[in-house]
Amino acid sequence: GFSQAADFYIILLCGSTITMFSFFRKKSPFTVVVKEFDHSRFAAGMEVTTDKHDYRKDVTALQQTFQSKRSLLKEPSNPSGTLVATSLPDQQGHFSYFVGDLVDSSEQEEELLVKELPVGAYAQINVDFKDPSGLTLAVAKAKNYFFNKWLPDSGYEVLPGIESYELYDRRSRIKLASMLLIFPLRKK
């Protein structure tokens, strides 16, 4: 496959001359939009604490368990969406992984954990990917762009504790391959 370099070149062979055009030099690969939430949004679901070593196994098990509990959800949001929240790892490398569906009420069955996205500013990046196998790399590139390129000069910092939220909404379900990466912000 291709190397993971940020630049992508088209090479035209004109006689003996090689001309190179760089596509991604000028335009940034991601667009960050800051939106103010004027009311809290909630997701009801389940959470697991994991690490890099057990991540795949733990997340797969969690998603299957949540799938079996979905019928317990009260007042699912319309349009529907699934939220994934990842915390920053602690010193031992453990982090929490939450998966849940958007709901209009924070009153849920006690088997379900409710996460609140409170009123405030959120940076949003739309992440497109060609097929599900490309999602992990696309998200990693978007996070890298956000933390290393956009955030330092933005006048914002990310709220402590949460690394990011991933929102998979109806666009994802109708096989349009995209999701929204969301970062809770506060002014520096």
Side-chain angles (χ1 to χ4, degrees):
F2 283 100
S3 74
Q4 293 174 10
D7 289 308
F8 175 52
Y9 293 97
I10 293 284
I11 298 174
L12 291 182
L13 297 171
C14 310
S16 62
T17 319
I18 295 179
T19 314
M20 294 174 87
F21 296 100
S22 173
F23 278 148
F24 295 142
R25 269 277 177 248
K26 309 283 179 281
K27 187 177 157 304
S28 89
F30 299 102
T31 304
V32 179
V33 178
V34 176
K35 282 207 170 141
E36 289 283 338
F37 285 13
D38 55 5
H39 61 280
S40 289
R41 297 173 77 179
F42 301 101
M46 306 183 90
E47 189 170 63
V48 67
T49 299
T50 186
D51 57 34
K52 271 199 294 217
H53 180 257
D54 294 324
Y55 174 76
R56 261 176 209 263
K57 172 177 62 73
D58 290 344
V59 166
T60 302
L62 180 73
Q63 287 172 335
Q64 287 168 346
T65 307
F66 174 60
Q67 195 67 37
S68 72
K69 305 265 188 216
R70 254 198 176 114
S71 59
L72 298 174
L73 291 170
K74 293 177 183 166
E75 295 185 50
S77 296
N78 186 10
S80 61
T82 298
L83 187 79
V84 169
T86 314
S87 72
L88 292 165
D90 63 17
Q91 282 84 7
Q92 288 78 44
H94 296 110
F95 59 93
S96 66
Y97 179 96
F98 168 89
V99 61
D101 284 355
L102 295 180
V103 289
D104 294 336
S105 169
S106 60
E107 304 292 315
Q108 297 290 331
E109 296 290 339
E110 59 184 41
E111 293 160 78
L112 298 171
L113 177 67
V114 176
K115 286 265 187 211
E116 178 184 5
L117 277 67
V119 169
Y122 290 82
Q124 301 184 347
I125 302 177
N126 201 53
V127 180
D128 297 308
F129 49 96
K130 300 240 178 325
D131 61 272
S133 66
L135 175 62
T136 308
L137 182 60
V139 168
K141 284 181 173 177
K143 286 180 181 178
N144 183 42
Y145 174 80
F146 174 78
F147 284 109
N148 297 317
K149 298 269 195 301
W150 186 84
L151 193 60
D153 300 323
S154 69
Y156 289 100
E157 59 188 6
V158 175
L159 289 179
I162 291 293
E163 194 231 30
S164 65
Y165 297 106
E166 297 169 21
L167 179 61
Y168 300 85
D169 59 14
R170 189 165 281 150
R171 291 170 309 172
S172 309
R173 196 157 306 149
I174 56 168
K175 301 295 181 263
L176 267 179
S178 73
M179 53 78 82
L180 207 54
L181 201 51
I182 303 173
F183 304 90
L185 300 175
R186 67 179 176 205
K187 293 254 189 233
K188 278 188 191 164

